[in-house]
């Protein structure tokens, strides 16, 4: 069980605007020692059997689009895919491979889709990793999914465009 912080620790400040979680009031008065206080970091459980990562519980990042520390709920589809690009800030591209049946030839053809996914700083995602993504509300023009679990890459020999079904 990770330790929940009760005293305030300054959040990572990398932006021009001051970064603070919406659900936490920074300037609260310190109460007497006998009274139980709420923690100074807002975290929540996504549900659906998904564990909250320890980096979300113990970290000091601020991400309003994170499903564990922000204002985003996971609902709808839960998918798995292969990370092929991490070049954007907090957004990754996930490749999903599938088979499409052609009835005339009674055979399958390989197809794929690339999905833009928001990746919270709680996950150290690299190219080649397998991630579990959950559908959420639209976060931007193209992003409608959020990373909820992460598995490090096992097969480094396979290229970005190799066909893998999960």
């Amino acid at each position: 069980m990770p330790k929940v912080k009760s005293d305030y620790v300054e959040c990572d400040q990398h932006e021009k605007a001051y970064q603070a979680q919406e659900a936490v009031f920074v300037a609260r008065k310190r109460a007497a020692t006998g009274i139980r206080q709420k923690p100074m970091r807002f975290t929540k459980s996504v549900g659906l059997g998904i564990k909250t990562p320890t980096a979300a519980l113990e970290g000091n990042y601020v991400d309003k689009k994170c499903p564990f520390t922000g204002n985003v709920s996971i609902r709808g589809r839960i998918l798995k895919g292969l990370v092929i690009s991490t070049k954007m800030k907090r957004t990754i591209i996930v490749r999903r491979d599938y088979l499409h049946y052609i009835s005339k030839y009674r055979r399958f053809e390989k197809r794929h889709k690339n999905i833009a996914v928001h990746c919270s700083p709680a996950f150290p995602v690299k190219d080649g990793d397998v991630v579990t993504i959950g559908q959420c509300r639209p976060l931007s023009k193209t992003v409608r999914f959020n990373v909820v679990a992460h598995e490090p890459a096992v097969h480094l020999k396979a290229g970005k465009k190799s066909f893998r079904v999960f």
Side-chain angles (χ1 to χ4, degrees), residues 49-125:
I50 298 165
K51 293 191 74 164
T52 305
T54 55
L57 297 170
E58 296 174 352
N60 55 354
Y61 68 89
V62 176
D63 185 11
K64 66 180 183 179
K65 296 178 182 179
C66 174
F68 306 105
T69 62
N71 186 21
V72 175
S73 61
I74 301 297
R75 79 288 191 279
R77 295 181 180 271
I78 304 291
L79 309 170
K80 270 191 169 186
L82 184 73
V83 177
I84 60 168
S85 174
T86 56
K87 295 176 183 174
M88 293 177 276
K89 182 180 178 183
R90 294 190 181 175
T91 304
I92 61 174
I93 301 296
V94 174
R95 180 185 171 108
R96 296 208 62 237
D97 297 316
Y98 60 96
L99 297 171
H100 179 252
Y101 185 69
I102 307 296
S103 56
K104 179 181 178 181
Y105 300 109
R106 287 185 265 158
R107 281 168 174 67
F108 290 93
E109 68 180 4
K110 296 175 185 175
R111 290 189 178 181
H112 80 277
K113 287 276 189 259
N114 288 343
I115 304 171
V117 179
H118 180 78
C119 184
S120 162
F123 298 106
V125 176

Side-chain angles (χ1 to χ4, degrees), residues 4 23 44 46 48 56 63 76 115 141 143 145:
V4 179
K44 65 178 180 180
V46 171
L48 305 168
D63 185 11
I115 304 171
K141 181 182 175 184
V143 178
F145 286 88

Side-chain angles (χ1 to χ4, degrees), residues 32-46:
T33 56
I35 300 171
R36 185 172 174 263
Q37 291 182 326
K38 289 193 332 188
M40 290 296 283
R41 179 156 178 84
F42 171 74
T43 58
K44 65 178 180 180
S45 173
V46 171

